[in-house]
Amino acid sequence: MDSEGENSVYLNSLVSAADSFSDGDIRRTATSSAVQQTLFLIHSDDPTLKVQAAKEIRRLTKTSQRYRRHFSNAVKPLVGMLRSESFESNEAALLALLNLAVKDEGNKINIIDAGALEPIISFLQSENAILQDHATAALLTLSASPATKPIISASGVFSLLVEIIRHGSSQAKADAVMALSNLSTYQDNLLLILRAQPIPSTVSLLKSCKKSSKTTERCTALIESLMCYEEGRNSLISEDGGVLAVVEVLESGSAQSREHAVGALLTMCQSDRAKYREPILREGVIPGLLELTVQGTVKSRTKAQTLLRLLRDTPYPRSELEPDTLENIVSNLISQIDCEEQSGKAKEMLAEMVQVSMEQSLRHLQQRALGLV
């Protein structure tokens, strides 16, 4: 049997021993031996043994926080493998580092400090789709740490991530928009992200993914953040179906996605009501807003009501005889809707909203009568 086969058998036997014995001391001894043997191999000069060790690290750290801590000393040799000209070494190291970084802030920082960012960014530009996918996933994981965001942001990675959202695989697109969303929370990054022109590709991704997905949530979160700037708002308005894509998420997305969607539209309308009111109304936003006022999160309900007030013909009460109630605001909006289908749906939603409001008021009165409130 060759040395590679012997090492493989040895590693497997040690891990099996750790998994099979019930005695705590024996288990810890076997685990420690497997870790030490794997660390010995990852630090060796033999490329084949290093790949074997990287694969073992990936396997052991896939679901184990304990093993992620045990293998923190493997970060430097794994980063060194990223600079190899061997695809097998690159892939094995990327996947091992990815697992080491999951839910481990210390490993994230160590990976960046060891110089992994430069080769990972080079893989984002690789013609090899597999390496590009793995590198995007690694960057997503690393960008989740507040400590690494400044370093990643300074690398000028934004345009590369936008390019992946535009032309990458389905998984890479989702990972890239999530990485951008992570990085958008760091100060001053929004303007840098805007310069990479992310809105067209993000809207395109938003149109293609399931409205209930995590990807949709991150797309709408990113769009909401970018609506704080005129350049972002203009980009969304000029993108074919851009506002409609946000409205569709408002109607049928997850609770968090709907909150981001209504937030994006509200930010637009608050920034320049005269400019954005008609484009928003034109996409049939009223039924979705009505539903949010009774079924959304607390933030969604508040934002939906505020947006409804801004969307009517005047944002102020018309007279004391027509008080500024939500029902009057919506009735005013419905009278302005030209499309019969949209108007009918809005009227149905208004009736449902009023019914829910009445039921809530009745419950409140009953609770007061019972002394519960």
Side-chain angles (χ1 to χ4, degrees):
M1 183 181 294
D2 58 23
S3 61
E4 179 183 349
E6 290 175 352
N7 280 310
S8 179
V9 170
Y10 180 58
L11 282 173
N12 289 333
S13 65
L14 287 172
V15 175
S16 296
D19 292 336
S20 61
F21 287 104
S22 58
D23 184 88
D25 290 336
I26 296 177
R27 178 183 292 275
R28 282 190 291 272
T29 299
T31 297
S32 176
S33 297
V35 169
Q36 292 304 317
Q37 175 68 5
T38 305
L39 286 173
F40 174 78
L41 296 180
I42 199 68
H43 282 90
S44 74
D45 294 327
D46 187 326
T48 301
L49 295 181
K50 291 173 80 73
V51 168
Q52 178 189 339
K55 290 179 178 179
E56 186 69 4
I57 292 171
R58 178 201 177 192
R59 185 180 74 82
L60 293 173
T61 57
K62 186 174 182 179
T63 58
S64 171
Q65 190 64 36
R66 180 166 53 91
Y67 274 118
R68 290 175 193 137
R69 288 284 82 218
H70 287 326
F71 285 114
S72 58
N73 289 334
V75 166
K76 285 187 178 180
L78 286 169
V79 170
M81 291 172 67
L82 297 180
R83 297 185 172 88
S84 168
E85 295 183 1
S86 162
F87 165 77
E88 189 177 16
S89 290
N90 295 158
E91 182 181 34
L94 265 175
L95 293 173
L97 288 168
L98 176 59
N99 282 359
L100 281 170
V102 172
K103 298 180 180 179
D104 193 306
E105 293 300 296
N107 281 345
K108 286 185 177 74
I109 295 169
N110 290 339
I111 289 167
I112 293 293
D113 288 346
L117 193 55
E118 182 182 349
I120 287 174
I121 290 175
S122 72
F123 294 143
L124 293 180
Q125 305 170 74
S126 174
E127 294 182 0
N128 187 306
I130 295 175
L131 288 180
Q132 187 181 86
D133 287 1
H134 294 333
T136 308
L139 196 63
L140 164 60
T141 302
L142 293 171
S143 68
S145 169
T148 62
K149 287 179 183 180
I151 303 171
I152 296 174
S153 301
S155 69
V157 74
F158 303 118
S159 59
L160 294 176
L161 289 173
V162 170
E163 189 65 19
I164 289 174
I165 298 173
R166 188 177 295 121
H167 298 300
S169 67
S170 296
Q171 186 59 55
K173 288 180 178 181
D175 289 345
V177 81
M178 290 183 188
L180 271 184
S181 180
N182 284 345
L183 295 171
S184 71
T185 62
Y186 182 68
Q187 59 183 359
D188 301 327
N189 271 359
L190 285 175
L191 284 172
L192 296 174
I193 292 172
L194 271 174
R195 290 174 189 168
Q197 300 181 336
I199 295 289
S201 54
T202 302
V203 168
S204 178
L205 179 59
L206 189 58
K207 290 177 181 178
S208 65
C209 59
K210 292 182 179 179
K211 297 299 179 282
S212 59
S213 67
K214 192 71 174 178
T215 302
T216 290
E217 181 183 321
R218 292 304 187 93
C219 284
T220 49
L222 180 60
I223 290 172
E224 180 185 14
S225 298
L226 296 175
M227 291 304 100
C228 295
Y229 297 91
E230 185 177 4
E231 183 180 349
R233 297 189 293 269
N234 289 339
S235 180
L236 184 66
I237 287 291
S238 61
E239 184 65 23
D240 185 30
V243 176
L244 177 59
V246 176
V247 169
E248 288 176 342
V249 174
L250 184 148
E251 292 176 336
S252 56
S254 67
Q256 197 61 47
S257 294
R258 298 177 82 186
E259 187 175 305
H260 289 310
V262 70
L265 298 176
L266 177 59
T267 300
M268 293 173 68
C269 213
Q270 287 177 326
S271 69
D272 192 337
R273 178 180 176 275
K275 181 176 181 179
Y276 297 114
R277 174 178 174 272
E278 285 301 325
I280 293 173
L281 278 174
R282 194 161 52 237
E283 301 301 350
V285 71
I286 301 303
L289 286 176
L290 285 174
E291 187 176 340
L292 274 185
T293 63
V294 293
Q295 295 182 2
T297 64
V298 173
K299 288 184 178 179
S300 293
R301 292 199 298 270
T302 301
K303 290 178 180 180
Q305 292 175 12
T306 303
L307 183 54
L308 283 167
R309 288 182 172 88
L310 288 171
L311 290 176
R312 68 177 181 175
D313 59 349
T314 171
Y316 308 104
R318 290 204 267 181
S319 71
E320 293 182 2
L321 297 176
E322 186 181 351
D324 194 15
T325 64
L326 190 56
E327 290 83 358
N328 283 337
I329 292 168
V330 176
S331 296
N332 173 261
L333 281 166
I334 292 173
S335 68
Q336 302 171 53
I337 299 176
D338 295 328
C339 174
E340 183 176 340
E341 181 181 351
Q342 286 186 19
S343 179
K345 185 175 181 180
K347 288 176 181 176
E348 291 177 6
M349 290 300 304
L350 176 58
E352 179 182 338
M353 182 188 72
V354 172
Q355 179 65 31
V356 171
S357 179
M358 290 175 62
E359 291 173 355
Q360 290 174 340
S361 297
L362 180 60
R363 282 197 299 270
H364 184 71
L365 288 172
Q366 291 172 337
Q367 289 173 343
R368 288 185 61 184
L370 294 172
L372 298 177
V373 294

